[in-house]
């Protein structure tokens, strides 16, 4: 459904609930305490309900549990390496207990999700009472949406239960639900539903619920930027990027005829430009507005220079081990698509003259950079000879 039509349904109060599927939580990096997911708290004291079905909740818990599990394993490995190679004599178990505060991965996951549910007033809806088993099986055997005609249909049961429960809940409560997902199966199901309205973007969801004033402010701010009056906002973004860019979750990809390990040695910010969100020149999207505070989203094209060390090995079948054959340091410039949330403050509420930048938050989660084909720097070895 088109953006303007969804906006009209919201203004007519026909849409009074929002539901997110697991794909959105994963797309936002499972960051429940920051970024766009944190902004769901703005609906806590409104008539708009945030609903999540128990199927999605259970999937989310599994993903949240995987993070501390992998961290626990990695930290354990690093500490043991520190004992071996750095002569570290500290108590590994004591350090791990301090880091995780004695909690198991599943306890950390439950605590995080419980805090998120409480702070955002999420309502968890049970499958039981909202879905008939006979109807579910009928759709399964007749290949009706959300079940596909081919493939492993059993893998689609969680989505089917969530979507059918969601539609049942919407009918019982006589409300339309805005369903936020990037899953094509969810999109197909919602397309044929009279109660579920599909949207692929969480940021656009927030934009839909903003009133006229923050829209106008974003338009005015965009005009001011192009008139050269908002350099301080650009500078605040630049400062944040320069301070945090080395902490980006950068995944290196490359092709090689040899086995290799990579190590990022330097990342530097070379410049950034706003991208147009809406034509002709709107660069800010309203996310949350509260009298003297406005949270906006901006999309940036960020140019970085990244230096990466590659260490190459081949398998020695005689000695039965990997043998180093050289290294190479490669520098590459790359343009990245980066999303930021900017919190602006103006005590007058006009956002005209006395605007201050309270916070800039980078919400881009993962970046992949391809170094194409790589191999050892044979010249360095020749020089050594």
């Amino acid at each position: 459904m088109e953006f303007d039509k969804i906006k009209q349904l919201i203004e007519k109060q026909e849409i009074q609930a929002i539901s997110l599927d697991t794909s959105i939580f994963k797309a936002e990096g499972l960051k429940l305490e920051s970024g766009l997911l944190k902004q769901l708290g703005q609906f806590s004291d409104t008539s708009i309900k945030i609903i999540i079905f128990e199927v999605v909740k259970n999937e989310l818990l599994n993903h949240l549990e995987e993070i501390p599990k992998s961290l626990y394993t990695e930290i354990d490995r690093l500490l043991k390496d520190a004992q071996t190679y750095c002569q570290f004599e500290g108590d590994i178990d004591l350090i791990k207990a301090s880091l995780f505060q004695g909690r198991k991965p599943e306890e950390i996951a439950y605590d995080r999700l419980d805090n998120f549910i409480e702070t955002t007033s999420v309502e968890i809806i049970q499958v039981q009472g909202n879905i008939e088993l006979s109807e579910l099986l009928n759709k399964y055997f007749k290949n009706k949406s959300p079940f596909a005609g081919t493939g492993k249909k059993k893998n689609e049961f969680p989505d089917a239960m969530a979507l059918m429960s969601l539609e049942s809940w919407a009918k019982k409560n006589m409300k339309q639900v805005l369903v936020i997902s990037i899953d094509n199966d969810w999109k197909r199901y919602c397309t044929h539903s009279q109660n579920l309205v599909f949207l692929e973007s969480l940021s656009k969801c927030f934009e839909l619920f903003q009133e006229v004033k923050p829209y106008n402010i974003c338009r005015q701010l965009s005009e001011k930027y192009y008139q050269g009056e908002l350099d301080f906002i650009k500078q605040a973004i630049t400062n944040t990027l320069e301070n945090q860019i080395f902490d980006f979750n950068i995944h290196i990809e490359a092709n090689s005829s040899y086995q290799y390990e990579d190590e990022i040695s330097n990342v530097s910010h070379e410049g950034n430009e706003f991208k147009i969100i809406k034509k002709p020149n709107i660069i800010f999207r309203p996310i949350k507005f509260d009298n003297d505070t406005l949270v906006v989203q901006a999309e940036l094209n960020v140019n970085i220079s990244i230096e990466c060390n590659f260490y190459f090995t081949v398998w020695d079948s005689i000695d039965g081990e990997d043998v180093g054959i050289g290294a190479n340091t490669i520098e590459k410039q790359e343009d990245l698509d980066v999303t930021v949330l900017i919190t602006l403050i103006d005590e007058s509420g006009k956002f005209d003259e006395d605007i201050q930048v309270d916070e800039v938050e980078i919400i881009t989660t993962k970046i992949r950079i391809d170094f194409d084909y790589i191999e050892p720097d044979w010249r360095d070895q020749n020089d050594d000879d």
Side-chain angles (χ1 to χ4, degrees), residues 68-321:
K69 274 184 177 178
S70 62
L71 287 174
Y72 193 95
T73 301
E74 183 66 12
I75 289 171
D76 187 64
R77 183 186 66 80
L78 290 172
L79 287 172
K80 288 179 179 177
D81 283 349
Q83 282 185 322
T84 303
Y85 300 109
C86 304
Q87 297 182 325
F88 173 69
E89 298 179 355
D91 189 330
I92 288 181
D93 291 332
L94 186 63
I95 293 174
K96 287 188 293 187
S98 175
L99 286 171
F100 293 95
Q101 299 177 336
R103 295 181 298 166
K104 296 179 180 179
E106 56 269 25
E107 292 175 324
I108 295 173
Y110 272 106
D111 287 346
R112 290 188 65 203
L113 187 55
D114 284 345
N115 289 334
F116 173 76
I117 290 171
E118 181 179 353
T119 56
T120 56
S121 299
V122 169
E123 183 176 341
I124 304 299
I125 307 297
Q126 304 298 318
V127 170
Q128 187 174 358
N130 284 293
I131 185 173
E132 293 290 339
L133 179 60
S134 59
E135 183 184 2
L136 178 66
L137 292 175
N138 181 60
K139 288 180 178 289
Y140 175 81
F141 287 113
K142 293 188 176 181
N143 297 329
K144 292 182 178 180
S145 179
F147 292 106
T150 58
K152 296 182 179 180
K153 292 191 292 182
K154 65 179 181 180
N155 296 335
E156 299 166 1
F157 260 101
D159 283 349
M161 288 189 288
L163 285 165
M164 292 173 65
S165 300
L166 188 58
E167 185 161 32
S168 174
W169 182 91
K171 288 179 180 178
K172 289 179 181 178
N173 290 272
M174 294 182 290
K175 296 177 180 179
Q176 292 195 58
V177 179
L178 186 61
V179 179
I180 317 298
S181 173
I182 55 175
D183 189 308
N184 286 329
D185 291 332
W186 282 57
K187 182 177 182 179
R188 280 192 293 270
Y189 188 91
C190 293
T191 301
H192 300 289
S193 171
Q194 294 182 346
N195 305 96
L196 308 181
V197 179
F198 185 83
L199 188 68
E200 293 179 336
S201 168
L202 184 55
S203 61
K204 287 185 178 179
C205 167
F206 292 122
E207 182 181 359
L208 281 165
F209 285 90
Q210 303 307 314
E211 298 178 355
V212 174
K213 185 174 181 179
Y215 271 102
N216 290 338
I217 292 174
C218 283
R219 186 178 66 253
Q220 294 167 7
L221 291 175
S222 298
E223 292 173 355
K224 284 179 176 292
Y225 173 77
Y226 284 108
Q227 293 169 4
E229 299 180 29
L230 295 179
D231 287 344
F232 66 97
I233 294 181
K234 178 75 175 292
Q235 189 59 51
I237 293 173
T238 298
N239 292 343
T240 302
L241 286 169
E242 289 178 345
N243 290 332
Q244 298 184 19
I245 201 160
F246 202 85
D247 297 326
F248 277 21
N249 186 4
I250 298 177
H251 179 73
I252 300 298
E253 295 180 342
N255 293 318
S256 181
S257 301
Y258 312 97
Q259 300 177 60
Y260 69 88
E261 292 185 1
D262 58 76
E263 175 190 48
I264 298 173
S265 54
N266 188 50
V267 183
S268 60
H269 169 257
E270 303 297 328
N272 63 84
E273 294 294 337
F274 286 108
K275 298 170 69 174
I276 300 296
I277 290 177
K278 284 190 177 181
K279 295 181 179 179
N281 62 351
I282 305 299
I283 58 175
F284 299 115
R285 172 181 288 126
I287 298 297
K288 180 182 178 183
F289 179 68
D290 183 16
N291 297 323
D292 61 353
T293 304
L294 174 65
V295 180
V296 299
Q297 182 187 55
E299 306 289 341
L300 304 174
N301 179 277
V302 178
N303 183 259
I304 69 166
S305 176
I306 179 168
E307 184 180 84
C308 189
N309 298 324
F310 295 95
Y311 304 98
F312 299 88
T313 60
V314 293
W315 177 253
D316 188 332
S317 58
I318 297 176
D319 293 333
E321 61 181 3

